[in-house]
Amino acid sequence: MFYKRIKLFSAIFLCLASFTAKAQDRIEPGQYVIADIKVNGDITYNEQTVVTFTRLEKGQRINVPGEEISNAIRKLASLKLFEDINFYASKVVGDSIYLELDVTELPKLSEVKMQGLKKSKIEGLIKDTELTKGKIVNENLVTTTKNYIENKYKKDGYYNTKVAINVIPDSSNTVKMVVNIDRGKKVKVSSIKFDGNTMLSDGKLRGAMKNTKKKSFMNPLRIFKSSKYIKEKYKEDLGSIVDKYKEKGYRDARVIEDTVAYNKDKNTVDISIQIEEGRKYYFGDIKFLGNTVYPNNLLSQVLGIKKGDTYNGILLQERIANPNKPDGEDLTNLYQNNGYLFSNINAVEVRTANDTIDFEIRIVEGPIAYLNNVTVAGNDKTNDHVIYRELLTRPGQKWNKEDVINTVRQLGALGFFDAETIRPDVKNADPSTGTVDVEWNVTERGSSQIELQGGYGGGGFIGTLGLSFNNFSMRNIFNKEAYKPIPMGDGQKLSLRLQGSTYFQTYSLSFTEPWFGGKKPIQLFSSLSHSKQFLYNFQSRDVDRSQSFTISSITLGMSKRLSGIYDNLRISHSLTFQYYNLSNYNTGLFTFGNGSSRNLAYTLEVTRDNRGSLIYPMSGSLFSVSAKMTLPYSLFNGIDYADLENQAAYKATNSSGQYLNEDGQVVYDYQDAAVDQGKVDQQKFNWLEYYKIKLKADWYTKIYDKLVLRTLGEFGFLGSYNSDRGLVPFERFFVGGDGLANYSLDGREVIQLRGYPNQALSSINGGTVYNKFSLELRYPITLKPQASIYVLSFLEAGNSYDSFRSYDPFVLKRSAGFGLRVFMPAFGLLGIDFANGFDPLPGYTQKNGWETHFIIGQQF
């Protein structure tokens, strides 16, 4: 161990002792001119730099004895860079004095080792303690490091954590630091006993203690709160016990005494809490004072408390200002949503008679506040205008707390920033001028994603390469300096996806401009795609490239986010054209092997999304309804689809044009000829005719802390305008599995239902009706910008139906399971689910059992 030794010599001692030792002459008191200052010692700093630290200069006149030398020593000591500091006078010539400064630098850290922890924990702890190479090592650093580590683990329940730090001298004024950490075992709570409680049971009081739980082997459902003892949390829980009584009318309830007895042998504590409950109270008269903006009856309605109600101090405070619900319906928000930022509301007890308490709600309304300066900070990639256009807080507007909360949600929904750290800082709030500034602080998170995967599916190897740039800047595409590595910052989205195997290839390109024209939230989106599939024999794995099926597609769309009370509502319109071309492709989708089909469809979708964060929503909901439809061609094209099979043009013929019967023999009357179903279907599906309706409702409810319940319901229906023309073989629903499609040539929609193989709950041609219901319980491990990780458990039920006549919403395939999700900005959402299917697959009698599903790509 080293010792901090700083010699602060008085001016007289400096002159008579130190100076004499060096100069061998007595130095007379008086004024001297500094002729030179020489620095001695093994130092890494430049000699002139050390002299500069002293604030002494050549030619400076100093007093001996005097304060100049003493002040110089104090300045050097305050830097905390030196261990020993000594001034000497080497000689005196006339009124000139030559000074020497002997210093010894404090050692620097060359290496740090931590023992007693897992390797995965050490790196983070070194970062937290800032024990970096080259750091000055002194006793203060050793003490603060020791205290930090001990307190850190005590907060985690390791109440007996001990830390020993050894500082070992190294070469060249450097030291090594060895940190030995003995966390010991977590201190558990063995028992919690109450005394004096008659109105509330022990169980209810233990339930009020959210952070301090006793050991229990009979409650396997308590998985998120262990029985560890943490002193700070325990003190909070004592307050929670009192709050529980206040909720039940016992205003005077208090904890008289509490003891925590430590059992060293078992490493547990026994807690005893003595309570004085007091009497039960009721609300009496409640009067409002100082209100001029809102009448008493409106304030009473918002307060929601009437004379004669059981006294509830917690409810009263929440109805005035609820700290747990920033957008709650309370009196404070009533005023703050109308510009009264400086308002102040307090409930004051004015009279207590027997068991009845009268209150005055005293209101200081203050002036209306208007926004002055609105700025953003922390965005080093995203351009300011991308953030400003999302803000509902604009200079000159009245302060509105609801607008502030909705802005947090809108910025989080962009996906460019860490939703958990978006923070509006209120600055320069001045009641005299009625103005306030707001600075929006954001933390950038990676917005570009790479999808690179390969796997075996559908009878062959499938590879995928996807690039998604979610904060793209098209205007800088020809600006070389903007490539870091790509032009970023304008909030546009550019996606490229390539997928292929031995028997198919798919190419797609899409672009989205969220603010078309830059003034209104009108989103313009477009996409191009081209797919080609060759005939593939799944048994022999042979590919016949002379038989192919291609689809070329283009989509143009526009959506608008409504304003005002419909801020979270978006209406979108899109038009899609697809061209299907079959060349000698006699399989599956159509009965004709050569021909083409066209699909011109308009889609209208209405979505309401107020989830705020897409990665891990803790509240809010998503509702959407969409209708995709084509023109009803059969109403005006004059074709009788019911009579096609009777017409000569749709009869079977040979290469010479002669009619053939079902046995392939030539007949001379077309009425005796067999129907060529390929020709019939070519006519029926020359232009696809259909409509598709989809509904989705997705809720997120915070259960406790960050434990979230997700409730999901979905429904889809594919219909036809003309029963004679029938349902199209495209655009169908395929239910079951992980919800990921290897490829989609026919407009199919793959619906996730875990616990069953992919697409196993639909017929080979897909369903025309489906519904799905899901309950999912989520809890985060970490929500840091670098990676968000959470665990989940779920119950699901759903099914696919071939027609609306066979639709039965109560005939469902059920499953349950658990899983893990990891979101990394560069790769999107990754995950794994283990699900147990409770029901048999279609055509089987035994339940399906366990399935493992891998989630790759961004699904929210």
Side-chain angles (χ1 to χ4, degrees):
M1 181 61 68
F2 58 89
Y3 297 91
K4 181 180 179 183
R5 295 181 293 120
I6 300 176
K7 298 180 181 178
L8 300 178
F9 292 97
S10 68
I12 295 175
F13 185 81
L14 174 66
C15 296
L16 301 181
S18 296
F19 286 8
T20 303
K22 287 283 185 177
Q24 303 297 322
D25 293 317
R26 184 178 180 83
I27 301 175
E28 297 295 334
Q31 283 194 339
Y32 293 88
V33 176
I34 299 176
D36 188 25
I37 303 176
K38 183 180 179 182
V39 180
N40 302 320
D42 185 11
I43 59 173
T44 58
Y45 294 97
N46 181 276
E47 181 177 337
Q48 184 57 44
T49 301
V50 177
V51 173
T52 302
F53 288 156
T54 66
R55 303 291 177 87
L56 298 175
E57 299 177 352
K58 290 182 181 180
Q60 179 180 348
R61 186 173 293 277
I62 63 174
N63 291 306
V64 178
E67 293 294 326
E68 290 87 354
I69 298 297
S70 298
N71 288 337
I73 294 175
R74 292 191 187 99
K75 289 184 175 67
L76 290 175
S78 67
L79 297 174
K80 298 180 180 180
L81 300 175
F82 307 105
E83 183 177 1
D84 282 315
I85 306 171
N86 293 291
F87 264 107
Y88 300 97
S90 59
K91 63 179 178 178
V92 174
V93 179
D95 65 349
S96 296
I97 188 169
Y98 292 80
L99 300 179
E100 290 188 11
L101 172 61
D102 288 353
V103 293
T104 302
E105 286 187 3
L106 285 167
K108 295 181 179 179
L109 186 63
S110 61
E111 183 182 1
V112 60
K113 291 183 178 180
M114 288 192 175
Q115 300 173 350
L117 298 176
K118 293 182 179 179
K119 187 176 181 181
S120 57
K121 300 287 187 182
I122 291 176
E123 183 178 349
L125 188 57
I126 291 176
K127 183 177 180 181
D128 292 341
T129 53
E130 299 181 349
L131 296 177
T132 56
K133 186 177 181 180
K135 192 177 185 71
I136 298 295
V137 179
N138 54 28
E139 286 188 351
N140 180 62
L141 177 67
V142 173
T143 302
T144 56
T145 300
K146 179 178 183 294
N147 292 339
Y148 174 84
I149 297 174
E150 288 181 348
N151 291 332
K152 171 183 171 61
Y153 285 106
K154 284 181 180 179
K155 290 179 180 178
D156 292 335
Y158 297 94
Y159 200 65
N160 296 313
T161 299
K162 296 179 180 179
V163 177
I165 300 179
N166 295 323
V167 177
I168 304 171
D170 199 2
S171 59
S172 253
N173 200 31
T174 61
V175 293
K176 295 180 180 179
M177 184 180 289
V178 179
V179 184
N180 294 287
I181 303 171
D182 181 8
R183 296 187 304 179
K185 294 182 179 180
K186 288 185 178 180
V187 176
K188 302 285 187 176
V189 178
S190 178
S191 64
I192 303 176
K193 296 180 180 180
F194 297 93
D195 183 32
N197 58 309
T198 58
M199 307 310 300
L200 295 182
S201 67
D202 289 4
K204 288 185 178 180
L205 294 180
R206 290 192 191 101
M209 301 176 72
K210 301 298 184 182
N211 303 294
T212 309
K213 303 291 183 181
K214 70 175 185 176
K215 290 196 299 183
S216 174
F217 301 101
M218 304 300 294
N219 189 3
L221 296 179
R222 183 162 53 81
I223 58 177
F224 298 115
K225 289 295 179 183
S226 66
S227 58
K228 60 190 177 184
Y229 172 73
I230 302 174
K231 185 176 180 180
E232 292 79 5
K233 296 294 184 181
Y234 167 65
K235 293 299 182 182
E236 290 179 11
D237 284 338
L238 292 179
S240 298
I241 291 173
V242 175
D243 288 344
K244 190 69 175 180
Y245 272 101
K246 288 183 179 180
E247 290 176 358
K248 302 298 182 181
Y250 298 91
R251 180 198 63 172
D252 299 330
R254 62 193 181 100
V255 175
I256 300 175
E257 184 180 1
D258 70 288
T259 59
V260 179
Y262 177 57
N263 188 333
K264 186 175 182 181
D265 295 336
K266 296 181 179 180
N267 199 42
T268 60
V269 294
D270 294 309
I271 297 175
S272 297
I273 302 173
Q274 188 174 355
I275 295 171
E276 183 180 291
E277 292 180 324
R279 69 185 303 175
K280 187 173 182 178
Y281 290 89
Y282 299 87
F283 283 109
D285 294 326
I286 301 177
K287 296 181 179 180
F288 295 94
L289 300 179
N291 55 305
T292 61
V293 179
Y294 298 107
N296 290 344
N297 60 346
L298 176 59
L299 297 179
S300 295
Q301 183 179 353
V302 175
L303 188 65
I305 298 174
K306 299 179 181 178
K307 183 177 181 178
D309 289 349
T310 298
Y311 172 81
N312 187 333
I314 303 301
L315 178 64
L316 177 62
Q317 183 56 48
E318 288 178 348
R319 295 293 172 81
I320 293 176
N322 192 339
N324 299 318
K325 293 185 67 176
D327 56 348
E329 295 183 3
D330 54 53
L331 294 177
T332 298
N333 282 344
L334 179 67
Y335 273 92
Q336 292 222 356
N337 290 340
N338 195 25
Y340 291 90
L341 171 65
F342 307 109
S343 60
N344 186 29
I345 304 174
N346 291 299
V348 180
E349 295 182 14
V350 293
R351 180 174 177 269
T352 302
N354 295 324
D355 60 354
T356 302
I357 307 173
D358 296 337
F359 282 90
E360 287 182 355
I361 309 297
R362 298 175 182 176
I363 301 172
V364 179
E365 294 176 332
I368 294 179
Y370 291 88
L371 297 173
N372 186 23
N373 295 315
V374 180
T375 57
V376 297
N379 54 315
D380 52 2
K381 294 180 181 178
T382 305
N383 294 323
D384 286 353
H385 73 271
V386 175
I387 303 176
Y388 281 127
R389 68 193 185 191
E390 298 291 339
L391 301 183
L392 301 177
T393 54
R394 307 289 177 104
Q397 291 181 346
K398 280 198 304 185
W399 168 266
N400 188 315
K401 186 178 178 181
E402 186 176 10
D403 286 345
V404 174
I405 295 171
N406 288 333
T407 297
V408 173
R409 290 176 177 150
Q410 289 189 185
L411 291 178
L414 289 175
F416 308 152
F417 313 111
D418 178 17
E420 302 298 319
T421 61
I422 297 173
R423 186 181 74 256
D425 286 341
V426 176
K427 297 182 175 181
N428 304 322
D430 188 353
S432 62
T433 60
T435 59
V436 62
D437 298 337
V438 176
E439 181 179 81
W440 287 95
N441 287 274
V442 297
T443 302
E444 296 270 11
R445 72 185 308 160
S447 54
S448 298
Q449 296 173 357
I450 300 173
E451 180 186 3
L452 181 61
Q453 58 177 295
Y456 188 85
F461 180 82
I462 299 172
T464 302
L465 172 62
L467 300 175
S468 181
F469 307 113
N470 297 328
N471 194 4
F472 191 69
S473 175
M474 181 63 76
R475 65 187 176 94
N476 287 317
I477 197 161
F478 298 112
N479 182 3
K480 294 181 180 179
E481 297 180 355
Y483 282 80
K484 298 177 182 178
I486 59 169
M488 300 283 288
D490 282 342
Q492 300 161 342
K493 182 176 181 178
L494 179 68
S495 297
L496 174 66
R497 198 167 191 265
L498 311 175
Q499 191 176 61
S501 71
T502 55
Y503 59 94
F504 82 90
Q505 296 92 40
T506 300
Y507 314 92
S508 64
L509 176 68
S510 64
F511 175 76
T512 301
E513 167 55 72
W515 282 67
F516 183 59
K519 295 183 179 180
K520 294 183 178 181
I522 299 175
Q523 185 181 89
L524 180 69
F525 55 92
S526 61
S527 65
L528 292 169
S529 67
H530 180 76
S531 302
K532 187 168 187 176
Q533 178 175 340
F534 301 102
L535 190 63
Y536 183 73
N537 188 313
F538 287 90
Q539 282 73 37
S540 64
R541 300 183 182 178
D542 293 331
V543 179
D544 187 350
R545 295 186 177 274
S546 66
Q547 297 178 283
S548 63
F549 171 42
T550 61
I551 299 178
S552 298
S553 175
I554 183 172
T555 298
L556 292 174
M558 184 175 291
S559 69
K560 181 179 181 181
R561 188 177 69 230
L562 302 186
S563 57
I565 62 175
Y566 304 105
D567 279 336
N568 299 312
L569 199 66
R570 181 178 289 274
I571 299 178
S572 64
H573 312 264
S574 64
L575 192 64
T576 300
F577 176 75
Q578 292 175 304
Y579 179 74
Y580 306 89
N581 184 40
L582 288 84
S583 177
N584 194 29
Y585 196 86
N586 295 286
T587 186
L589 298 174
F590 293 114
T591 54
F592 57 92
N594 289 285
S596 60
S597 184
R598 298 154 187 83
N599 180 14
L600 179 63
Y602 163 74
T603 302
L604 171 65
E605 183 173 14
V606 180
T607 304
R608 179 184 177 274
D609 187 357
N610 66 344
R611 293 174 296 173
S613 171
L614 296 179
I615 310 301
Y616 190 82
M618 286 190 283
S619 63
S621 59
L622 169 66
F623 295 97
S624 69
V625 55
S626 68
K628 185 177 183 180
M629 63 199 80
T630 65
L631 291 172
Y633 302 105
S634 57
L635 294 180
F636 53 79
N637 62 10
I639 299 175
D640 184 0
Y641 292 98
D643 192 52
L644 290 180
E645 296 181 353
N646 299 320
Q647 298 179 22
Y650 302 100
K651 297 294 185 176
T653 60
N654 57 21
S655 58
S656 301
Q658 296 173 307
Y659 296 107
L660 302 176
N661 63 16
E662 293 181 355
D663 297 328
Q665 296 177 343
V666 176
V667 295
Y668 297 99
D669 188 345
Y670 76 89
Q671 294 181 351
D672 298 327
V675 176
D676 188 335
Q677 193 62 44
K679 293 181 180 179
V680 173
D681 287 348
Q682 170 70 91
Q683 179 62 17
K684 283 185 177 181
F685 305 129
N686 183 34
W687 284 88
L688 299 183
E689 181 181 280
Y690 64 92
Y691 63 91
K692 182 193 285 188
I693 307 297
K694 293 191 299 179
L695 304 172
K696 181 177 181 179
D698 197 1
W699 290 274
Y700 296 84
T701 306
K702 183 189 293 187
I703 304 300
Y704 176 75
D705 192 25
K706 294 182 180 180
L707 178 64
V708 175
L709 175 66
R710 181 192 188 193
T711 309
L712 173 69
E714 296 182 41
F715 172 81
F717 172 68
L718 177 67
S720 63
Y721 301 115
N722 188 331
S723 59
D724 294 329
R725 194 169 190 181
L727 290 166
V728 298
F730 286 178
E731 301 289 336
R732 301 208 174 194
F733 305 109
F734 291 80
V735 178
D738 53 30
L740 302 178
N742 287 331
Y743 63 94
S744 179
L745 292 173
D746 53 2
R748 69 178 60 194
E749 294 191 41
V750 180
I751 311 301
Q752 181 191 69
L753 206 156
R754 293 162 285 189
Y756 300 93
N758 286 354
Q759 307 179 29
L761 301 182
S762 299
S763 60
I764 190 171
N765 294 320
T768 61
V769 185
Y770 90 93
N771 54 208
K772 173 189 171 182
F773 309 97
S774 178
L775 291 175
E776 192 170 279
L777 200 61
R778 300 176 169 186
Y779 193 79
I781 298 173
T782 177
L783 294 176
K784 292 183 178 180
Q786 298 85 355
S788 297
I789 305 173
Y790 60 89
V791 294
L792 57 90
S793 59
F794 59 85
L795 296 172
E796 284 190 333
N799 210 348
S800 171
Y801 311 89
D802 290 338
S803 66
F804 194 73
R805 289 184 178 181
S806 64
Y807 173 63
D808 187 342
F810 301 103
V811 178
L812 302 172
K813 303 296 184 181
R814 302 158 301 162
S815 68
F818 57 93
L820 174 73
R821 295 290 183 274
V822 178
F823 177 83
M824 292 184 292
F827 297 98
L829 193 66
L830 309 174
I832 185 172
D833 289 325
F834 303 94
N836 189 5
F838 298 144
D839 298 294
L841 296 173
Y844 292 82
T845 57
Q846 292 184 341
K847 76 171 190 177
N848 186 65
W850 286 96
E851 296 276 349
T852 302
H853 306 287
F854 294 94
I855 309 300
I856 303 174
Q858 192 161 356
Q859 292 187 343
F860 300 109

